[in-house]
Amino acid sequence: MTDSIKKYLSETPETLTRLLNNSKDLFKEVSHQDIKRIIVTGSGTSYHSGAEMQQLMREKSGILVEAYYPFMITRDLFKSDTSKTLLVGVSQGGSSLTTLDAMKIAKEKGCKIATISADKPAYIDQVADYPLTIDMGRELAGPKTEGYYATKLHLLLLAEYIGLVNGNLNVDQFNNDMNDLKLTFDQFGSAYEKALKWVEDHKTKLASYNNMRIVGPASLYGDVLESTLKLVESCREPVSGFEFNEFIHGIYNAMNENTPVLFMDNGTENRMSKMLQILGKWTDSLYVFDLSDANDGNHMGYGVKVPKQFETFIFPLVFQVMAGVVSKERGIDADIPKDPNFHMEIGSKKYNH
């Protein structure tokens, strides 16, 4: 496993707990604004964070929350009154130019602007009314892992504090969520160790694949997208990710004996057994990851009990570990991009990090 991915995953629970404990002052000003709509935008991992958290953010804040890629942010999105709309621009390195362009459109249309970045000050902060900096420093790894969890936590905390102020959550509900998050973070380490052992035991087989599919339920779709990205950028082979029902619509036609499918199973999809039975006619490379104590070849459980609403802080782990272990097994240093100057050459970021 690449040392950087191992380092950041190992320190993630401590980082998340610290961010949670120090969050009150950071979100105080923005949570007291009159906000009726939140739009989250960012690219890659940043977008996946928003896609994964948007439904939970709706539940906690009691207001409309939407996640969009920056290219989807157009002036037509802001035709009605925008004075109570908060657009959150997310960029882990803080210098995504497409995210900044989307923020400028929203600013021009009268939206309030917040930013989430691990860089301070971030380049995108230039148009921000509320810079919500992730106090963890720059993640100096190729595939980002710790930053994904930290961004998801920041988005959730934004919604929690807004919900507490606007009355959608009472104090007891808010405090219960904070305690449940800490309980989840306390179990992150053991889940990580379980994932690491399983991947190490299966790395030779996993490294032989060159066309993986990742499938998960709607509630983990952002995690499916992020897990897909981690394996693509580290192992540098085609990987595709699908929500369970979307996988049913045509994708199964591309199955053959060489097609591995890796399922996130949080128990919400009652057709999982039937799916495995049908796909088993074409391939035996079917893997299931859940929260049980299972350790049976192609079925691995993380062996943890966490509140269902916060399972997103556990499920991507095995895929992030694969990014570090399987890439190394294939002779790839995932910390060194195929073209280290790509973003500078293509003009997609202000700074090369």
Side-chain angles (χ1 to χ4, degrees), residues 104-252:
K104 287 179 177 178
I105 290 174
K107 186 84 167 180
E108 169 195 321
K109 288 296 185 176
C111 298
K112 300 176 176 70
I113 306 294
T115 52
I116 294 179
S117 172
D119 213 29
K120 184 177 182 178
Y123 186 71
I124 62 172
D125 287 350
Q126 62 184 275
V127 295
D129 302 299
Y130 312 102
L132 306 174
T133 305
I134 303 173
D135 184 19
M136 57 171 277
R138 193 175 298 162
E139 189 172 356
L140 302 177
K144 305 296 188 290
T145 54
E146 184 180 26
Y148 179 58
Y149 294 108
T151 301
K152 290 195 294 185
L153 177 61
H154 254 49
L155 289 170
L156 174 59
L157 290 173
L158 172 64
E160 291 269 358
Y161 281 106
I162 288 175
L164 181 62
V165 170
N166 69 19
N168 189 62
L169 297 176
N170 61 41
V171 173
D172 286 343
Q173 290 171 320
F174 178 87
N175 288 337
N176 286 339
D177 283 348
M178 298 303 105
N179 289 333
D180 282 349
L181 281 167
K182 291 176 183 178
L183 174 68
T184 302
F185 302 156
D186 285 345
Q187 297 181 74
F188 185 99
S190 62
Y192 164 69
E193 292 296 336
K194 189 81 176 288
L196 179 58
K197 184 180 185 309
W198 186 89
V199 175
E200 287 286 357
D201 289 345
H202 294 81
K203 64 184 178 183
T204 301
K205 182 67 172 176
L206 293 168
S208 71
Y209 297 137
N210 59 12
N211 197 5
M212 290 185 183
R213 310 276 195 274
I214 301 175
V215 179
S219 58
L220 295 173
Y221 183 55
D223 289 339
V224 168
L225 294 176
E226 177 63 9
S227 299
T228 300
L229 176 60
K230 291 305 98 165
L231 291 177
V232 168
E233 64 181 340
S234 61
C235 297
R236 299 170 191 180
E237 289 288 350
V239 183
S240 50
F242 304 93
E243 187 271 334
F244 189 94
N245 291 285
E246 294 305 313
F247 180 79
I248 293 171
H249 288 277
I251 310 304
Y252 71 90

Side-chain angles (χ1 to χ4, degrees), residues 34-36 80-86 109-112:
D34 187 8
I35 298 169
K36 302 299 182 186
S80 57
D81 180 20
T82 60
S83 62
K84 298 180 181 180
T85 296
L86 176 70
K109 288 296 185 176
C111 298
K112 300 176 176 70

